[in-house]
Amino acid sequence: MLDEDKLKQVVADVLAADVASIGPDFSMDTVEQWDSLRHMTLVLAIEDSFGISIPDEEAANITSWPLIRLVVEEQLAQG
C-alpha cells in the first residue's frame, strides 16, 4: 500500500518544493528546479525509500505527480 505522505515528502525533499504544492498539476513543466539531474536523483530516492526498482522506461516517463504515484503504486503491487 502506498504511503502517499511519505512519497510526497521524498519528492519535496529532492525537488526542494513545498509538500503542499504537490498535486495534480505538479510536473516537470511547472517546477523550475526539476531538471534531468534532479529527475534521476528523484527516481533513486523513491526506489530507496520504498524498496522498489523502477524500470528505466518508466523512470523516464514519471514527469508529474500523478505519474509518479501511479508507477510507485504499480511497483509496490508487484512486490
Side-chain angles (χ1 to χ4, degrees):
M1 175 129 196
L2 175 64
D3 182 342
E4 194 168 318
D5 290 336
K6 179 180 175 182
L7 182 57
K8 282 186 177 184
Q9 190 61 59
V10 171
V11 172
D13 289 347
V14 172
L15 298 176
D18 183 3
V19 172
S21 72
I22 300 173
D25 298 329
F26 190 87
S27 73
M28 216 172 197
D29 295 330
T30 61
V31 180
E32 186 177 328
Q33 62 272 25
W34 192 344
D35 58 17
S36 58
L37 181 59
R38 285 205 193 202
H39 184 79
M40 290 313 300
T41 304
L42 176 60
V43 171
L44 294 172
I46 291 169
E47 289 178 334
D48 287 346
S49 295
F50 288 88
I52 59 174
S53 181
I54 299 172
D56 291 343
E57 59 276 0
E58 290 191 24
N61 293 326
I62 57 171
T63 57
S64 69
W65 169 248
L67 291 173
I68 290 170
R69 212 173 117 225
L70 178 67
V71 168
V72 173
E73 283 177 334
E74 288 173 351
Q75 294 305 313
L76 287 170
Q78 289 179 11

